[in-house]
Coordinates of all heavy atoms in Angstrom, one line a residue:
T928 N -8.5 1.3 11.2 CA -7.5 1.7 10.1 C -7.9 0.9 8.8 O -8.1 1.4 7.8 CB -6.1 1.4 10.5 OG1 -5.7 2.2 11.6 CG2 -5.2 1.9 9.3
G929 N -8.2 -0.4 9.0 CA -8.5 -1.3 7.9 C -9.8 -0.9 7.3 O -10.0 -0.9 6.1
D930 N -10.8 -0.5 8.1 CA -12.2 0.0 7.6 C -11.9 1.2 6.8 O -12.7 1.2 5.7 CB -13.1 0.3 8.9 CG -13.4 -1.0 9.5 OD1 -13.4 -2.1 8.9 OD2 -13.8 -0.9 10.7
I931 N -11.0 2.1 7.3 CA -10.9 3.4 6.4 C -10.3 3.0 5.1 O -10.6 3.4 3.9 CB -10.1 4.4 7.1 CG1 -10.9 5.0 8.3 CG2 -9.6 5.5 6.2 CD1 -10.2 6.0 9.0
L932 N -9.3 2.2 5.0 CA -8.6 1.8 3.8 C -9.5 1.1 2.9 O -9.4 1.3 1.6 CB -7.4 0.9 4.1 CG -6.2 1.7 5.0 CD1 -5.1 0.7 5.2 CD2 -5.7 2.8 4.1
R933 N -10.3 0.2 3.4 CA -11.2 -0.5 2.6 C -12.3 0.3 1.9 O -12.7 0.2 0.8 CB -11.9 -1.7 3.3 CG -10.9 -2.9 3.7 CD -11.6 -4.0 4.3 NE -10.7 -5.1 4.7 CZ -10.1 -5.3 5.9 NH1 -10.5 -4.4 6.8 NH2 -9.2 -6.2 6.0
S934 N -12.7 1.4 2.7 CA -13.6 2.3 2.2 C -13.1 3.1 1.0 O -13.8 3.7 0.2 CB -14.0 3.3 3.3 OG -13.1 4.2 3.7
G935 N -11.7 3.1 0.9 CA -11.0 3.8 -0.1 C -10.8 2.8 -1.4 O -10.1 3.2 -2.2
G936 N -11.3 1.7 -1.2 CA -11.2 0.8 -2.3 C -10.1 -0.3 -2.3 O -9.7 -1.0 -3.1
W937 N -9.5 -0.3 -1.1 CA -8.3 -1.2 -0.9 C -8.6 -2.8 -0.9 O -9.7 -3.1 -0.4 CB -7.7 -0.9 0.4 CG -6.7 0.2 0.4 CD1 -7.0 1.5 -0.1 CD2 -5.3 0.3 0.8 NE1 -6.0 2.4 0.1 CE2 -4.9 1.7 0.6 CE3 -4.4 -0.6 1.3 CZ2 -3.6 2.0 0.9 CZ3 -3.1 -0.1 1.6 CH2 -2.7 1.1 1.3
T938 N -7.9 -3.5 -1.7 CA -8.1 -4.9 -1.6 C -6.8 -5.7 -1.3 O -5.8 -4.9 -0.9 CB -8.5 -5.4 -3.0 OG1 -7.4 -5.2 -4.0 CG2 -9.8 -4.7 -3.6
L939 N -6.8 -7.0 -1.2 CA -5.5 -7.7 -0.9 C -4.5 -7.3 -1.9 O -3.2 -7.1 -1.5 CB -5.7 -9.0 -0.9 CG -4.6 -10.1 -0.6 CD1 -4.0 -9.6 0.8 CD2 -5.0 -11.5 -0.7
L940 N -4.8 -7.1 -3.2 CA -3.8 -6.6 -4.2 C -3.2 -5.4 -3.9 O -2.1 -5.1 -4.0 CB -4.4 -6.6 -5.5 CG -3.7 -6.0 -6.7 CD1 -2.4 -6.8 -7.0 CD2 -4.5 -6.0 -7.9
T941 N -4.1 -4.4 -3.4 CA -3.6 -3.1 -3.1 C -2.6 -3.2 -2.0 O -1.6 -2.6 -2.1 CB -4.9 -2.2 -2.6 OG1 -5.9 -2.3 -3.6 CG2 -4.4 -0.7 -2.6
A942 N -2.8 -3.9 -0.9 CA -2.0 -4.0 0.3 C -0.6 -4.7 -0.2 O 0.5 -4.0 0.2 CB -2.6 -4.9 1.3
V943 N -0.8 -5.7 -1.0 CA 0.5 -6.3 -1.4 C 1.4 -5.5 -2.2 O 2.6 -5.3 -2.0 CB 0.2 -7.6 -2.3 CG1 1.4 -8.0 -3.1 CG2 -0.4 -8.8 -1.3
N944 N 0.8 -4.6 -3.2 CA 1.5 -3.8 -4.1 C 2.0 -2.4 -3.3 O 3.0 -2.0 -3.6 CB 0.8 -3.3 -5.3 CG 0.9 -4.4 -6.4 OD1 1.5 -5.4 -6.2 ND2 0.4 -4.1 -7.5
V945 N 1.3 -2.1 -2.3 CA 1.8 -1.0 -1.3 C 3.0 -1.5 -0.6 O 4.0 -0.8 -0.5 CB 0.7 -0.5 -0.5 CG1 1.3 0.5 0.6 CG2 -0.3 0.3 -1.2
M946 N 3.1 -2.7 -0.1 CA 4.1 -3.3 0.6 C 5.4 -3.4 -0.3 O 6.5 -3.0 0.0 CB 3.9 -4.6 1.2 CG 2.8 -4.7 2.3 SD 2.3 -6.2 2.9 CE 3.9 -6.7 3.7
L947 N 5.1 -3.8 -1.6 CA 6.2 -3.8 -2.6 C 6.6 -2.4 -3.0 O 7.9 -2.2 -3.1 CB 5.7 -4.5 -3.9 CG 5.5 -6.1 -3.8 CD1 4.7 -6.6 -5.0 CD2 6.8 -6.8 -3.5
F948 N 5.8 -1.5 -3.2 CA 6.1 -0.2 -3.5 C 6.8 0.5 -2.4 O 7.8 1.4 -2.5 CB 4.9 0.7 -3.9 CG 5.2 1.9 -4.7 CD1 5.8 1.8 -5.9 CD2 5.0 3.2 -4.1 CE1 6.2 3.1 -6.6 CE2 5.3 4.3 -4.8 CZ 6.0 4.2 -6.1
S949 N 6.4 0.1 -1.2 CA 7.2 0.8 0.0 C 8.6 0.3 0.0 O 9.4 1.2 0.4 CB 6.5 0.2 1.4 OG 7.2 0.7 2.4
L950 N 8.9 -0.8 -0.5 CA 10.3 -1.4 -0.5 C 11.0 -0.7 -1.7 O 12.0 -0.3 -1.7 CB 10.3 -2.9 -0.7 CG 11.6 -3.5 -1.1 CD1 12.6 -3.5 0.0 CD2 11.3 -4.9 -1.6
L951 N 10.2 -0.7 -2.9 CA 10.8 -0.2 -4.2 C 10.3 1.1 -4.5 O 9.4 1.3 -5.5 CB 10.5 -1.2 -5.3 CG 11.0 -2.7 -5.0 CD1 10.4 -3.5 -6.1 CD2 12.5 -2.7 -5.0
H952 N 10.7 2.2 -3.9 CA 10.4 3.6 -4.3 C 11.5 4.4 -4.0 O 12.6 4.0 -3.4 CB 9.1 4.0 -3.6 CG 9.2 4.4 -2.3 ND1 9.4 3.5 -1.3 CD2 9.3 5.7 -1.7 CE1 9.5 4.1 -0.1 NE2 9.4 5.5 -0.4
N953 N 11.6 5.7 -4.5 CA 12.6 6.6 -4.3 C 13.1 6.8 -2.8 O 12.1 6.7 -1.9 CB 12.2 7.9 -4.8 CG 10.9 8.5 -4.3 OD1 9.8 8.1 -4.8 ND2 11.0 9.3 -3.4
P954 N 14.3 7.1 -2.5 CA 14.7 7.4 -1.1 C 14.0 8.5 -0.6 O 13.5 9.4 -1.3 CB 16.2 7.5 -1.3 CG 16.5 7.0 -2.6 CD 15.4 7.2 -3.6
C955 N 14.0 8.7 0.7 CA 13.4 9.9 1.3 C 14.5 11.1 1.0 O 15.5 10.9 0.7 CB 13.2 9.7 2.9 SG 14.8 9.6 3.7
S956 N 14.0 12.2 1.2 CA 14.7 13.4 0.8 C 16.1 13.5 1.7 O 17.1 14.0 1.3 CB 13.9 14.7 1.0 OG 13.4 14.8 2.3

């Protein structure tokens, strides 16, 4: 899974901000 994400340009910054955005984003429907 990590290999696929890194192939998509993911870095440590990407992971940290996805974790933050997972917390701070709109509620599910």
Side-chain angles (χ1 to χ4, degrees):
T928 301
D930 290 340
I931 289 179
L932 294 177
R933 289 187 182 94
S934 71
W937 281 53
T938 63
L939 180 58
L940 170 62
T941 314
V943 169
N944 273 11
V945 171
M946 291 176 71
L947 289 170
F948 195 68
S949 177
L950 171 69
L951 302 171
H952 77 285
N953 51 276
C955 69
S956 53

